[in-house]
Amino acid sequence: MKFKEFIFRTLSVCRREIGILIHNHMYWLCMLLLPVICIVFFTSLLDEGLPEKLPVGVVDLDNTTTSRALIRNLGSFQTSHVVAHYPSVSEAREAIHDNQIYAFLYIPKGTTDDLLASRQPKISFYYSLTSVMSGSLLFRDLKTISVLGSASVGQATMRARGYTDQQIKTFLQPIAIDLHQLGNPWTNYNIYLSTMLIPGVLMLFISLITAYSLGTEMKFGRSHSYMKLAGDNIYVAILGKMIPQTLIFFTVAAGYACYVFGVLHFPHPGGWGKILLLTMEMVLASQGFGIFIFGLVPSLRMSMSICSLWGVLGFSLCGAAFPVMGMDGPLQSLSWLIPLRHYYMLYQMCVLHGFPLIDAWFHFSALTAFALMPLIMLPKIKNAMLNYVYIP
């Protein structure tokens, strides 16, 4: 096929694909409406950066000045809010089960007397890890309060013995921690989660729509006319079908980047050049993965099911929720086959921390390999388009 004919037939397939995109509401839903809803939903869900005033209960059987001071300190924390007092542990546990509170602090009777007598009393706290984020934040607050209980008594005792404030501080906190958080010094969960969840959702939509657009050609009996328009050239057929989708998905993904980095001011020391390059790599890798899966299993249902499974696995294996280095060996190996893993590492290294692309060459090469994977499946896709009989 000559170059001019290649270009002409590619543009013809592009015009045909644009007509399909316009008249099929599924494309409008999955390429524009749902991605925009997901972007707004995830970024507004944690717009304050960190969950605040999570409901906490208290079981205070001691009811002394010291125990009440501990409860006031617990309620003064940013993420904790004491909403109820319970007469027993069993009632507080029922409140957790009923989702009325996320955690409760149990102060047994005689705690203050044991503290003053240096008998190391035990106070307990219970928290629910049904929600990992709320459970982790409340564990931090409750543990801090537990440590402060003995510290306050020790402080009062040493003051009575004539120790200076500097001596008391040195005794109670012999090592002072000078903490410097890199990349996200505000501990903003919006920056931490949205930059993984939204691209993961976009990549899922892209791979699904790619497999769907190829599968519907066979399902609705359009595959022969589709290939005839492309001159029976599978390269023209795939290129002409993907170009309009690529432009739409890149526009949506670039809009997401402009919103989070330009409007919400997420940190991006790597600069806009790397952001846009990574955005294009994300779109092409997702499309390449969708085409590859369809070529591997040329069936509308099966290819979309595999893309869905692989996309959902990416949220767990990309390393944002749990570090990959802490996973079992087979899961670590599987993570290298997840496009979202390489996107997340590129974002983390090159955009969030500003490292040069050469430092993340492996992940950049992996995304490029995902984009080129369809090349080995194009002959099989051509055969499926020309000879496959769709079975409902």
Side-chain angles (χ1 to χ4, degrees), residues 168-285:
I168 294 172
K169 182 179 179 181
T170 303
F171 181 80
L172 294 178
Q173 190 180 15
I175 298 176
I177 298 175
D178 189 13
L179 180 63
H180 300 273
Q181 298 183 107
L182 300 178
N184 187 7
W186 313 275
T187 317
N188 189 324
Y189 274 70
N190 203 4
I191 296 173
Y192 172 66
L193 291 176
S194 294
T195 50
M196 178 274 294
L197 291 172
I198 297 175
V201 171
L202 291 177
M203 295 176 80
L204 178 60
F205 279 128
I206 295 170
S207 60
L208 283 173
I209 284 296
T210 301
Y212 173 80
S213 64
L214 292 171
T216 50
E217 296 291 348
M218 296 190 301
K219 178 178 180 179
F220 298 120
R222 303 194 304 252
S223 57
H224 288 279
S225 61
Y226 168 53
M227 292 301 298
K228 184 178 180 180
L229 185 62
D232 288 337
N233 188 319
I234 190 62
Y235 294 93
V236 172
I238 295 297
L239 189 61
K241 180 172 282 292
M242 290 299 110
I243 286 177
Q245 296 184 27
T246 302
L247 294 176
I248 294 173
F249 278 124
F250 178 76
T251 302
V252 173
Y256 147 75
C258 292
Y259 177 61
V260 298
F261 296 113
V263 178
L264 299 183
H265 302 294
F266 283 15
H268 55 284
W272 281 99
K274 293 177 183 177
I275 291 174
L276 295 177
L277 178 61
L278 182 55
T279 300
M280 179 57 75
E281 278 279 295
M282 174 187 74
V283 174
L284 294 178

Side-chain angles (χ1 to χ4, degrees), residues 131 221 292 317:
S131 173
F292 174 80
L317 297 178

Side-chain angles (χ1 to χ4, degrees), residues 100-118:
Q100 298 176 12
I101 56 175
Y102 286 108
F104 69 89
L105 178 68
Y106 170 55
I107 304 175
K109 187 174 180 60
T111 298
T112 303
D113 294 338
D114 290 341
L115 273 173
L116 295 175
S118 300

Side-chain angles (χ1 to χ4, degrees), residues 79-97:
T79 53
S80 301
H81 178 53
V82 179
V83 297
H85 289 70
Y86 300 96
S88 65
V89 172
S90 60
E91 293 187 22
R93 288 174 64 93
E94 289 179 5
I96 288 183
H97 295 159

Side-chain angles (χ1 to χ4, degrees), residues 344-378:
Y344 182 69
M345 290 301 296
L346 278 168
Y347 160 75
Q348 194 178 48
M349 296 174 67
C350 300
V351 177
L352 185 61
H353 293 115
F355 294 159
L357 282 172
I358 192 64
D359 289 352
W361 68 269
F362 178 82
H363 301 287
F364 188 84
S365 301
L367 278 185
T368 304
F370 276 109
L372 297 176
M373 279 170 59
L375 293 177
I376 62 178
M377 285 295 174
L378 291 182

Side-chain angles (χ1 to χ4, degrees), residues 77 139-149:
F77 286 159
F139 169 77
R140 180 194 63 187
D141 289 356
L142 291 167
K143 186 175 181 180
T144 302
I145 282 297
S146 302
V147 174
L148 287 178

